[in-house]
Amino acid sequence: MEQDYIKLIFGLKLKQIRTDKNLSLFGLSKISGLSKSYLNEIEKGKKYPKPDKIAILSEKLDVPYDQMVSLKLDKNLAPVGELLQSKILKEIPLELFGIKESNLIDIVANAPAKVNAFISTIIAIAKHYNFSRESFFLASVRSFQEANNNYFDELEQQVLKFSKAYQLDLTTPFNSNELEDILVEEYGYIINESELSTYEMLENLRSVFVPKTKTLLLANGIDEAQRTFIYAKEIAYNFLDISDRLYTFPWIKFESFDQVLNNFYASYFAGALIIPKKELTSKLESIFEKGFFDEAMFIKTINTFNASPESFYQRLTNILPKAFNIQDLFFLRFTHRSGTEKFHLKKELHLSHQHSPRANETNEHYCRRWVSLKVLKDISKSKKNHEFDVQISNYDSDNAKYLVLSSATKDPFKDNQFRSISIGLLINKQLERKIKFLDDEHLKTQKVGVTCERCSIKDCEVRKAPPHVLEKALKNNKIETIVNTLNQKYDS
């Protein structure tokens, strides 16, 4: 364990022993002869006393010396110790969230029983849902995105700096050949397009980078948009001077939080390079100012850029909050295998607050009225390259409506597997000011729920399970009402 945490654990134990004996810092100072400020520094984990000082504290507090220096914490502080020994605090760059480690240590050092219970609960929940270290890191990156409205101006400026240095015209779409030339000539890359296909176990990988020889192995099945994104991401690692990185796309495993964060930075740079802010903003303004939703114009805008629909929708989550001040939004990515009734929510992002359509860990059935699921069903039947739909989703339970745009495409690496990408914009005064087509009578409005098990919609033709969670909650409410009535009756 790192020295800082050894200090902190000693400080936690000293404070607990002192408070158990109803001693103030002043009182402990008086009986030990150690200054109050020195003892305060020890309890905050900033100093570790020398053996002779520990011996004095041991004698005056009537606690064995070995118990004082042991790293073992009693059950009240054990959750804090588990958190510290996990080294999670050291692996996450707290400064990203505007938190100083010293402040966090102060909070932990002063943690009352309720805070310890809270930490214990979080750890128990994480274990119950198999919440892995990877999941924790990914959740931290999502929180970082949400805290910044998913817009990072420094990366946007780096893209402009790169385009100027390498004379890339961002006003017109460019192809992968231009980026490949930069990788080969400027950064000494070797591009290999045959090696990956010889390994059956690597069929789901788009690319592998071998740092020693600067060889980039590409899968046979990638299309032009995927190739462009992979090249743009490799350029980001080099141009941003990122060495602690992931070497496969998609990732297999990572060693540290920095690798996860750097992967996000590189992906953001790639998206901003392929779909420039200025160009996208201009096209969105043209779509938003119309009094009706021009579907053809929206799809044409997606196809304008040399990018996949997923990259386009991801880019919307960067641009809408910054350029249009539309900050109440969510992003969802679902996968679905044709011929099954299973839909898996693989990725989500919520800006401003946790919106209603969200991942559910209790194996409940997602609402089949969601446009995200509809386009998946449509494409599995139509076999088109791209299915698009739009709807206004009305969540009565939350008294909220969303404009939801959704695209579905085939997974090129898996037979009969499809994925949908959706962005939902909360309909409020701000959205009504920015988007003129919200009153378009041709826009479908659909009453939706989160899951079938919690949905109050009656006679739903696509329901996959009875609303037993909702029914249980309603039953409990009725019981509570009767009990309250009985209390009032017999109190009087």
Side-chain angles (χ1 to χ4, degrees):
M1 203 186 309
E2 293 188 27
Q3 193 64 32
D4 286 348
Y5 291 143
I6 294 175
K7 292 178 188 176
L8 182 55
I9 285 179
F10 186 89
L12 286 169
K13 292 186 75 171
L14 178 60
K15 182 172 182 178
Q16 185 183 42
I17 294 167
R18 175 178 63 78
T19 53
D20 284 348
K21 293 181 179 295
N22 296 316
L23 272 173
S24 66
L25 271 174
F26 181 87
L28 180 58
S29 172
K30 194 169 181 179
I31 64 172
S32 67
L34 305 176
S35 73
K36 179 181 172 184
S37 60
Y38 178 63
L39 292 170
N40 189 42
E41 294 279 283
I42 294 174
E43 288 193 355
K44 287 186 174 182
K46 295 178 181 178
K47 289 185 177 179
Y48 191 88
K50 292 180 179 179
D52 60 322
K53 302 293 192 298
I54 297 175
I56 293 172
L57 291 170
S58 170
E59 178 188 349
K60 299 302 180 183
L61 291 170
D62 193 25
V63 175
Y65 185 96
D66 289 346
Q67 183 180 332
M68 292 284 294
V69 297
S70 169
L71 297 179
K72 186 177 180 181
L73 294 167
D74 70 14
K75 65 179 181 180
N76 290 327
L77 289 175
V80 178
E82 189 171 347
L83 181 68
L84 297 177
Q85 292 181 58
S86 71
K87 297 189 179 181
I88 287 174
L89 299 181
K90 275 293 181 188
E91 294 194 54
I92 297 175
L94 297 169
E95 66 274 8
L96 288 176
F97 301 93
I99 301 171
K100 291 183 179 180
E101 187 175 359
S102 59
N103 292 342
L104 188 60
I105 288 175
D106 282 347
I107 293 171
V108 175
N110 289 286
K114 288 183 179 178
V115 175
N116 292 330
F118 174 74
I119 294 173
S120 180
T121 301
I122 294 299
I123 292 172
I125 291 172
K127 289 178 178 177
H128 179 71
Y129 285 108
N130 293 319
F131 195 69
S132 64
R133 177 170 171 267
E134 289 83 1
S135 299
F136 181 84
F137 286 161
L138 291 170
S140 297
V141 171
R142 281 199 303 273
S143 296
F144 177 54
Q145 291 175 255
E146 292 163 5
N148 290 276
N149 283 323
N150 205 28
Y151 181 82
F152 297 86
D153 193 60
E154 184 178 343
L155 293 173
E156 300 281 347
Q157 296 304 318
Q158 287 292 331
V159 165
L160 296 178
K161 183 179 177 182
F162 171 80
S163 64
K164 183 177 180 180
Y166 291 90
Q167 289 298 291
L168 283 176
D169 183 4
L170 297 184
T171 63
T172 58
F174 49 83
N175 58 42
S176 63
N177 292 333
E178 295 178 75
L179 300 185
E180 183 175 323
D181 288 343
I182 294 171
L183 282 175
V184 173
E185 295 181 23
E186 184 72 10
Y187 298 116
Y189 272 50
I190 299 169
I191 309 297
N192 183 316
E193 300 188 47
S194 59
E195 182 76 10
L196 277 188
S197 61
T198 63
Y199 299 92
E200 186 178 345
M201 292 298 293
L202 304 182
E203 61 181 356
N204 292 328
L205 294 182
R206 273 63 162 176
S207 67
V208 175
F209 179 64
V210 184
K212 189 173 182 179
T213 58
K214 286 195 169 182
T215 301
L216 183 63
L217 308 174
L218 297 177
N220 280 334
I222 62 172
D223 58 25
E224 170 63 12
Q226 290 172 327
R227 181 188 298 269
T228 302
F229 182 80
I230 291 169
Y231 285 168
K233 199 170 173 183
E234 289 299 321
I235 284 172
Y237 282 128
N238 287 274
F239 189 73
L240 299 176
D241 196 24
I242 295 172
S243 57
D244 193 5
R245 55 162 291 181
L246 302 175
Y247 296 108
T248 64
F249 177 64
W251 62 271
I252 300 173
K253 68 172 185 176
F254 41 77
E255 303 299 332
S256 68
F257 179 75
D258 281 344
Q259 289 183 350
V260 184
L261 185 63
N262 289 337
N263 179 66
F264 165 70
Y265 284 153
S267 297
Y268 188 105
F269 181 100
L273 178 63
I274 298 167
I275 309 174
K277 173 186 171 183
K278 186 176 179 181
E279 302 307 309
L280 178 56
T281 300
S282 175
K283 293 181 185 302
L284 290 175
E285 285 172 346
S286 299
I287 294 171
F288 292 169
E289 69 184 11
K290 289 194 170 188
F292 66 97
F293 177 66
D294 193 331
E295 180 176 322
M297 189 176 185
F298 183 77
I299 294 175
K300 183 180 178 182
T301 300
I302 295 178
N303 296 330
T304 295
F305 304 99
N306 188 10
S308 67
E310 178 166 356
S311 293
F312 180 82
Y313 281 75
Q314 286 270 22
R315 191 65 175 137
L316 289 180
T317 68
N318 307 140
I319 300 305
L320 291 176
K322 181 64 177 178
F324 298 91
N325 199 28
I326 299 173
Q327 298 179 5
D328 286 291
L329 61 83
F330 63 79
F331 170 92
L332 306 175
R333 181 179 73 195
F334 276 94
T335 61
H336 170 65
R337 180 169 291 280
S338 180
T340 71
E341 278 296 330
K342 296 213 177 224
F343 297 87
H344 303 281
L345 182 48
K346 293 294 187 179
K347 191 172 184 179
E348 61 179 326
L349 180 72
H350 299 263
L351 299 189
S352 287
H353 64 275
Q354 288 294 312
H355 303 272
S356 285
R358 56 187 175 269
N360 190 287
E361 301 292 343
T362 55
N363 297 317
E364 295 178 17
H365 297 77
Y366 291 114
C367 177
R368 269 32 179 189
R369 292 168 170 244
W370 289 359
V371 68
S372 305
L373 306 192
K374 178 183 178 298
V375 291
L376 282 171
K377 287 184 175 180
D378 290 343
I379 197 169
S380 65
K381 295 175 183 175
S382 70
K383 305 299 182 182
K384 291 181 182 178
N385 292 326
H386 180 194
E387 281 282 355
F388 171 81
D389 205 351
V390 56
Q391 82 176 23
I392 293 177
S393 295
N394 186 359
Y395 287 86
D396 270 356
S397 57
D398 290 346
N399 194 29
K401 290 183 179 181
Y402 295 87
L403 173 70
V404 187
L405 305 144
S406 189
S407 289
T409 58
K410 186 183 184 303
D411 187 330
F413 292 87
K414 294 180 180 177
D415 291 336
N416 297 317
Q417 181 132 325
F418 304 89
R419 55 198 172 194
S420 72
I421 310 298
S422 305
I423 188 167
L425 314 177
L426 180 67
I427 298 178
N428 52 22
K429 295 295 182 184
Q430 177 63 13
L431 196 71
E432 290 168 354
R433 281 193 293 268
K434 297 293 182 180
I435 298 180
K436 305 302 181 188
F437 62 73
L438 290 177
D439 291 328
D440 183 356
E441 61 183 14
H442 295 100
L443 284 177
K444 300 185 293 290
T445 298
Q446 182 77 287
K447 209 176 193 181
V448 297
V450 176
T451 66
C452 294
E453 287 81 352
R454 300 168 191 270
C455 183
S456 62
I457 299 174
K458 295 180 179 179
D459 303 321
C460 177
E461 71 284 0
V462 290
R463 181 183 288 280
K464 294 299 174 182
H468 58 78
V469 175
L470 180 66
E471 289 169 351
K472 183 178 179 180
L474 292 174
K475 182 179 178 180
N476 288 339
N477 287 339
K478 289 179 180 178
I479 292 172
E480 185 179 353
T481 300
I482 294 171
V483 170
N484 288 336
T485 302
L486 289 171
N487 282 331
Q488 290 172 6
K489 178 180 177 180
Y490 287 98
D491 276 349
S492 59

